[in-house]
């Protein structure tokens, strides 16, 4: 169950930079900031729950990796952030690291 908590924590980790970005690009600034704070809180809560049985170093690396790569792909697909082979290559290394930590 802790691995599911960690996945949920990583998904909420994507939510807070997304909320900050949307607070700068839409007229609903305070709503998106509230969404960001809500996402931060749930991300931290689920990370705390995941660390009951997952080692702290692995949990933190996976949590930030999910957040970083998820945010990168949201930026590419929805905000037209630059996409090139080197960005995709290094993002794939993060994903490989996440998978490796899960199975070791």
């Amino acid at each position: 169950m802790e691995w599911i908590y960690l996945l949920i924590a990583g998904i909420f980790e994507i939510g807070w930079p997304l909320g900050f970005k949307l607070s700068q690009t839409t007229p609903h600034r305070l709503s998106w900031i509230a969404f960001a704070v809500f996402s931060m809180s749930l991300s931290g809560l689920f990370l705390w729950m995941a660390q009951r049985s997952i080692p702290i170093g692995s949990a933190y690396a996976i949590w930030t990796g999910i957040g970083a790569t998820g945010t990168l792909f949201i930026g590419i697909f929805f905000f037209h952030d630059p996409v090139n082979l080197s960005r995709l290559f290094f993002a794939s290394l993060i994903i490989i690291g996440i998978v490796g930590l899960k199975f070791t």
Side-chain angles (χ1 to χ4, degrees):
M1 191 68 179
E2 279 77 9
W3 287 100
I4 293 171
Y5 293 149
L6 187 56
L7 178 62
I8 294 168
I11 291 168
F12 279 113
E13 182 69 2
I14 297 167
W16 68 267
L18 176 62
F20 284 154
K21 179 67 173 179
L22 290 171
S23 76
Q24 298 170 354
T25 59
T26 67
H28 307 290
R29 181 167 294 171
L30 291 177
S31 297
W32 285 114
I33 290 173
F35 173 80
V37 171
F38 179 73
S39 291
M40 280 182 214
S41 300
L42 288 179
S43 179
L45 172 67
F46 281 103
L47 176 63
W48 173 77
M49 292 167 63
Q51 288 178 346
R52 291 181 197 162
S53 69
I54 300 171
I56 185 173
S58 296
Y60 183 73
I62 292 168
W63 177 64
T64 58
I66 292 170
T69 56
T71 303
L72 178 121
F73 287 116
I74 285 176
I76 289 170
F77 290 121
F78 297 104
F79 296 102
H80 310 293
D81 287 355
V83 59
N84 56 50
L85 235 47
S86 61
R87 287 186 90 200
L88 295 176
F89 171 74
F90 290 114
S92 70
L93 290 179
I94 294 171
I95 294 167
I96 290 167
I98 291 169
V99 172
L101 285 170
K102 164 64 173 113
F103 290 111
T104 57

